[in-house]
């Protein structure tokens, strides 16, 4: 089985984010980029399938600028992906998930793999556009928020679940298929030290993103940091009764959340 | 131009260690410290990820890292728990004599099967009657045909109760002092080898330390490392390699102390403002950051020198001694910054002080490091 998994570099969770002067991307200066948690789940899913279906290969693809994109591809190779392709594009290009999906579609279109996986949404802008856009660009069915995807050799179909507000749906579908993975339903593995060393020496194929892929509606218009929170109020009190009385008065008269 | 930036490969190795340290080690550090528990399940994971036999060449199943990369990893691990780090890196110390002094046949025979499984080895040099004066050790190796018969006792041996392999330094003739010392590889299963019970320690309580007794232990000549009398030099060459990672271990403890102190100083208020706004606290934090930074750079420099093929005796002694003294100082200052809370076991900084203390003592006490430094230094003027 040929599996493509699409990943994207996002700032490490503890990063103090700053908006770039253009207002449309994050300021990358000094920021460490990593595989998003969603993408880790996607890579883990790809590797589980590879282990379950003999003769499978996992091809990891990412669209974006140097050096962060190459870094997450090498991290994916260290986890166990077989080969990597870097679709090089400026940060603004890749920030448009629909455009990035177009550039990646151009690279994986022929021959079409059996399965294309990605995280349910970008770990940075959380747009959730990518899997739908990739399906659209490739003319393939796509489903998002998927968990526990397995290959049923008997019926030659994928079987999987899909998280919904009410519970889980059970699905089955033939290849080829685009799937967005729910985060953290599996327990993504950690790359082992020798595999990290090997991944540093592996080749990452590099192609330039097709500039004729038009910008899509996925282009973020503006990034803004949330306004600093204000209004926290400390109640001075001598007894717990007094504290409770003061709190109820504030909730009733100032916050107006109590009748 | 010297370059202080890390390569992407070095960054990914450090990141692996950091992730392991913070997700697997740190959450259990306080509990293992309190209960003096040897967390086998954490060590097994460290082994599975390749964080254990860092110095063993890859062809023998180790990670094959240069000293600089080992130091990056050790600092990250120690940031989470000094004691666990001591146990994780003890194999490096125990196996280094085989790496440096073993024949290709011995490396094949000992290192390969050892590294293929999760297991521990211990380095047995120190004896109850003395550690610093290693030339005076008393464990006797009497030659009988194509065997040696070992008799004696070692003490303070890291991981000894859990180890399956020991590298043992013994003397073929005490009157020869240094020139009689000879190194052997002794499997735990050899009759007459008895590790003692776990010592109750001040710090590094997630690590395990005990005596090992050797009573009429028969060791074939082919398990001797090098020739008779070459053991002392081998022990010293081993410590030249492993001293620098102790600098990294101390740096990790010091960095943790600094991070705790700085974060606490921003939250704790006195006299109407965060204590970080009192100049006395600022000066203390400034002194702490200098010590941590210098400890790290001295460690990096020693590792760099040794990786370039220098012996690095002076550099590694400076790194180990300065970093361990700094760790104790910075941990002490972190406690002072926390005030009364710093003295309480509920807060993480008092453990750092207890853990830091050991780094001044083991792998050559700092007095010995200083006498080595003076010797190396004065040689240039003699
Ligand atoms: C937790 C722990 C783990 C250890 N793990 C191991 C291990 O795995 N393998 C192993 O072989 N050993 C191990 N050791 C032993 C350690 O290396 C020794 O404790 C250390 O070398 C000091 O030896 P000593 O304790 O016999 O002190 P001594 O040699 O008796 O020294 C006592 C004091 O005198 C000072 N002193 C001695 N000689 C001089 C001198 N010439 N000039 C100035 N001052 C001097 C020392 O610095 C020290 O302050 C461990 C120790 C501990 C506590």
């Amino acid at each position: 089985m040929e599996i493509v998994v699409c990943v994207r570099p996002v700032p490490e969770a503890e990063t103090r984010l700053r908006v770039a002067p253009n207002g449309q991307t994050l300021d990358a200066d000094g920021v460490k980029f990593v595989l998003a948690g969603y993408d880790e789940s996607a890579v883990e899913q790809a590797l589980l399938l590879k282990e379950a279906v003999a003769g499978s290969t996992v091809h990891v693809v990412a669209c974006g600028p140097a050096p962060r994109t190459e870094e997450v591809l090498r991290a994916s190779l260290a986890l166990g992906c077989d080969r990597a392709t870097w679709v090089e594009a400026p940060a603004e290009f890749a920030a448009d998930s629909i455009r990035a999906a177009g550039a990646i579609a151009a690279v994986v279109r022929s021959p079409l793999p059996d399965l294309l996986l990605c995280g349910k949404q970008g770990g940075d802008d959380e747009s959730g556009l990518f899997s739908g856009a990739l399906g659209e660009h490739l003319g393939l069915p796509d489903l998002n928020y998927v968990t526990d995807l397995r290959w049923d050799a008997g019926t030659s179909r994928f079987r999987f679940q899909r998280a919904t507000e009410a519970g889980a749906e059970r699905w089955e579908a033939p290849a080829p298929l685009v799937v967005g993975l729910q985060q953290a339903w599996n327990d993504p593995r950690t790359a082992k030290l020798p595999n990290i060393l090997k991944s540093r020496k592996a080749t990452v194929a590099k192609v330039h993103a097709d500039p004729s892929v038009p910008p899509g509606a996925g282009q973020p218009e503006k990034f803004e940091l949330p306004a600093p929170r204000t209004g926290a109020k400390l109640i001075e009190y001598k007894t717990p009764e007094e504290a409770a009385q003061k709190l109820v008065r504030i909730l009733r008269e100032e916050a107006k959340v109590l009748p | 131009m010297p370059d202080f930036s890390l390569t992407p490969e070095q960054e990914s190795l450090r990141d692996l260690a950091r992730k392991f340290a913070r997700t697997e080690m740190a959450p259990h550090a306080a509990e293992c410290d309190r209960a003096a528990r040897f967390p086998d399940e954490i060590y097994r994971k460290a082994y599975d990820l390749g964080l254990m036999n860092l110095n063993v060449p890859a062809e023998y199943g180790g990670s094959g890292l240069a000293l600089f990369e080992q130091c990056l990893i050790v600092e990250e691990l120690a940031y989470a728990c000094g004691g666990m780090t001591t146990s994780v890196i003890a194999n490096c110390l125990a196996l280094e004599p085989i790496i440096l002094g073993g024949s290709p046949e011995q490396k094949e025979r000992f290192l390969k099967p050892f590294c293929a499984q999760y297991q521990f080895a211990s380095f047995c040099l120190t004896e109850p009657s003395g550690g610093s004066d290693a030339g005076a050790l008393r464990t006797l190796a009497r030659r009988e045909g194509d065997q040696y018969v070992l008799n004696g006792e070692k003490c303070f041996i890291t991981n000894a109760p859990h180890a399956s392999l020991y590298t043992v330094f013994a003397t073929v003739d005490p009157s020869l002092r240094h020139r009689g010392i000879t190194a052997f590889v002794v499997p735990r299963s050899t009759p007459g080898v008895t590790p003692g019970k776990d010592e109750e320690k001040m710090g590094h309580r997630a690590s395990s330390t005990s005596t090992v007794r050797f009573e009429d232990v028969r060791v074939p000549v082919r398990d001797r490392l090098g020739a008779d009398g070459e053991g002392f030099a081998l022990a010293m060459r081993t410590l030249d390699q492993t001293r620098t990672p102790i600098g990294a271990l101390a740096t990790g403890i010091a960095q943790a102390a600094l991070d705790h102190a700085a974060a606490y100083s921003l939250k704790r208020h006195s006299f109407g403002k965060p204590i970080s706004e009192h100049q006395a606290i600022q000066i203390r934090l400034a002194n702490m950051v200098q010590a941590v930074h210098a400890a790290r750079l001295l460690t990096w420099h020693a590792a760099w020198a040794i990786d370039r093929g220098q012996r690095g005796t002076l550099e590694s002694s400076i790194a180990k001694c300065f970093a361990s003294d700094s760790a104790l100082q910075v941990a002490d200052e972190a406690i002072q910054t926390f005030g009364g809370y710093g003295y309480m076991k509920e807060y993480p900084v008092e453990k750092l002080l207890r853990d830091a203390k050991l780094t001044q003592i083991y792998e050559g006490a700092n007095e010995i490091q200083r006498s080595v430094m003076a010797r190396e230094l004065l040689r240039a003027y003699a």
Side-chain angles (χ1 to χ4, degrees):
Chain A
M1 177 180 303
E2 299 295 320
I3 304 164
V4 164
V5 56
C6 305
V7 298
R8 154 158 151 172
V10 300
E12 211 174 21
E14 293 131 43
T15 311
R16 298 200 171 187
L17 294 177
R18 294 173 314 263
V19 178
N22 68 10
Q24 291 186 318
T25 50
L26 294 172
D27 184 351
D29 190 34
V31 173
K32 182 160 178 57
F33 285 87
V34 296
L35 266 185
Y38 307 120
D39 292 348
E40 284 184 342
S41 290
V43 170
E44 181 64 24
Q45 172 68 85
L47 298 174
L48 290 174
L49 268 175
K50 174 185 157 175
E51 284 155 8
V53 183
S56 299
T57 62
V58 178
H59 177 194
V60 57
V61 187
C63 172
R68 63 180 96 154
T69 312
E70 188 182 342
E71 284 305 311
V72 296
L73 287 169
R74 291 199 187 278
S76 308
L77 289 173
L79 287 166
C81 296
D82 300 292
R83 65 190 179 100
T85 303
W86 171 18
V87 183
E88 197 189 12
E92 304 78 55
F93 184 115
D96 177 344
S97 301
I98 297 179
R99 199 175 192 196
I104 288 178
V107 171
V108 299
R109 178 166 283 128
S110 57
L112 258 188
D114 301 292
L115 180 67
L116 296 108
L117 298 170
C118 61
K120 68 168 177 171
Q121 58 200 40
D124 46 1
D125 63 10
E126 317 263 328
S127 77
L129 292 170
F130 186 87
S131 62
L134 187 63
E136 200 62 29
H137 281 296
L138 293 172
L140 295 181
D142 64 87
L143 271 170
N144 206 349
Y145 310 109
V146 165
T147 62
D148 201 13
L149 185 137
R150 289 158 201 267
W151 174 248
D152 183 346
T155 59
S156 287
R157 286 173 160 248
F158 293 109
R159 293 180 185 279
F160 48 95
Q161 304 209 11
R162 191 165 168 272
T164 69
E165 301 234 314
E169 303 167 351
R170 285 177 201 286
W171 285 73
E172 52 175 75
L177 183 68
V178 177
V179 164
L181 268 305
Q182 185 71 290
Q183 183 190 17
W185 65 273
N186 53 23
D187 184 12
R189 64 196 70 189
T190 302
K192 298 183 181 195
L193 191 149
N195 297 340
I196 291 175
L197 295 178
K198 264 186 236 145
S199 76
R200 299 310 318 181
K201 294 180 185 75
T203 31
V204 169
K206 185 165 131 183
V207 296
H208 288 283
D210 180 355
S212 69
V213 176
Q219 178 66 49
E221 277 180 16
K222 196 169 174 212
F223 276 111
E224 275 176 328
L225 292 177
R229 293 189 199 184
T230 55
K233 188 164 192 164
L234 280 179
I235 300 175
E236 307 266 343
Y237 63 92
K238 293 215 172 56
T239 62
E241 290 76 10
E242 185 193 347
Q245 276 165 7
K246 284 187 171 172
L247 179 62
V248 169
R249 190 193 60 76
I250 291 170
L251 292 176
R252 198 169 268 148
E253 292 170 17
E254 295 177 21
K256 300 195 195 315
V257 294
L258 290 181
Chain B
M1 268 285 273
D3 184 353
F4 294 99
S5 60
L6 301 182
T7 64
E9 174 174 298
Q10 289 165 338
E11 280 195 27
S12 16
L13 293 173
R14 186 199 55 194
D15 291 351
L16 166 68
R18 182 172 293 178
K19 183 173 172 195
F20 180 77
R22 304 203 179 174
T23 60
E24 305 288 346
M25 290 167 59
H28 304 282
E31 174 253 310
C32 290
D33 176 54
R34 211 175 305 121
R37 183 171 79 83
F38 186 84
D40 208 46
E41 74 289 356
I42 296 177
Y43 300 147
R44 182 180 292 276
K45 280 185 196 162
Y47 168 81
D48 285 340
L49 288 176
L51 291 171
M52 204 124 107
N53 302 316
L54 296 173
N55 58 342
V56 178
E59 53 182 313
Y60 299 115
S63 299
L65 296 186
L67 207 52
F68 191 90
E69 284 75 12
Q70 293 179 40
C71 286
L72 291 176
I73 289 175
V74 171
E75 181 187 331
E76 291 301 328
L77 301 182
Y79 185 90
C81 182
M84 291 185 202
T85 308
T86 287
S87 272
V88 167
I89 67 172
N91 279 2
C92 297
L93 173 63
L95 300 177
E96 189 69 35
I98 307 178
I99 298 168
L100 290 175
S103 65
E105 182 274 330
Q106 287 174 321
K107 292 183 196 183
E108 192 74 25
R109 192 152 51 86
F110 289 117
L111 295 177
K112 253 204 187 145
F114 182 86
C115 293
Q117 278 182 49
Y118 164 64
Q119 52 189 325
F120 291 103
S122 293
F123 177 84
C124 303
L125 179 66
T126 306
E127 301 189 352
S129 59
S132 302
D133 186 4
L137 63 79
R138 296 177 185 175
T139 297
L140 200 65
R142 182 166 36 88
R143 181 80 185 246
E144 273 187 20
D146 58 358
Q147 291 185 329
Y148 287 84
V149 183
L150 266 54
N151 276 289
E153 189 177 23
K154 299 291 177 177
C155 74
F156 306 144
I157 304 305
T158 298
N159 291 348
H162 304 269
S164 53
L165 197 70
Y166 300 105
T167 41
V168 183
F169 295 83
T171 176
V172 291
D173 179 356
S175 71
L176 293 175
R177 285 202 35 102
H178 306 85
R179 277 167 286 116
I181 294 174
T182 307
F184 301 91
V185 184
V186 183
R188 157 90 165 262
S189 54
T190 318
V193 178
T194 321
K197 71 170 179 28
D198 236 326
E199 304 284 357
E200 185 65 49
K201 296 193 299 299
M202 168 184 182
H204 292 243
R205 290 165 58 80
S207 177
S208 161
T209 316
S210 81
T211 56
V212 186
R213 281 164 58 89
F214 299 90
E215 284 169 294
D216 292 331
V217 175
R218 295 192 166 265
V219 181
V221 173
R222 62 184 198 132
D223 294 355
R224 182 187 65 197
L225 297 171
D228 277 2
E230 287 181 4
F232 186 79
L234 183 58
M236 294 306 119
R237 277 163 62 213
T238 295
L239 294 170
D240 276 344
Q241 289 290 322
T242 57
R243 200 180 290 128
T244 310
I246 300 303
L249 193 153
T251 305
I253 295 175
Q255 181 70 56
L258 172 61
D259 286 356
H260 283 301
Y264 186 81
S265 74
L266 289 166
K267 283 187 310 202
R268 180 74 173 173
H269 286 68
S270 78
F271 299 94
K273 54 187 179 185
I275 61 168
S276 61
E277 289 178 22
H278 300 307
Q279 197 178 38
I281 303 286
Q282 293 178 349
I283 291 171
R284 179 180 307 129
L285 290 171
N287 290 340
M288 293 164 81
V289 75
Q290 291 177 65
V292 175
H293 196 59
R296 180 175 300 117
L297 290 182
L298 287 171
T299 300
W300 283 14
H301 179 257
W304 170 85
I306 293 170
D307 285 340
R308 280 164 49 107
Q310 299 172 22
R311 175 138 183 191
T313 304
L314 176 64
E315 291 81 356
S316 61
S317 288
I318 294 175
K320 189 271 182 187
C321 186
F322 185 89
S324 56
D325 286 352
S326 297
L328 197 78
Q329 171 209 330
V330 173
D332 180 27
E333 289 172 330
I335 294 176
Q336 192 67 18
T337 306
F338 273 66
Y341 291 112
Y343 201 66
M344 298 297 140
K345 293 226 169 196
E346 199 187 332
Y347 286 78
V349 285
E350 60 82 33
K351 171 178 186 289
L352 298 175
L353 185 86
R354 291 185 284 108
D355 286 350
K357 184 62 213 176
L358 178 62
T359 62
Q360 294 182 312
I361 298 172
Y362 69 175
E363 300 237 6
N366 281 4
E367 289 79 359
I368 302 304
Q369 305 302 340
R370 286 192 166 86
S371 70
V372 168
M373 281 181 235
R375 188 189 67 210
E376 296 285 314
L377 171 80
L378 292 172
R379 187 176 286 164
Y381 295 87

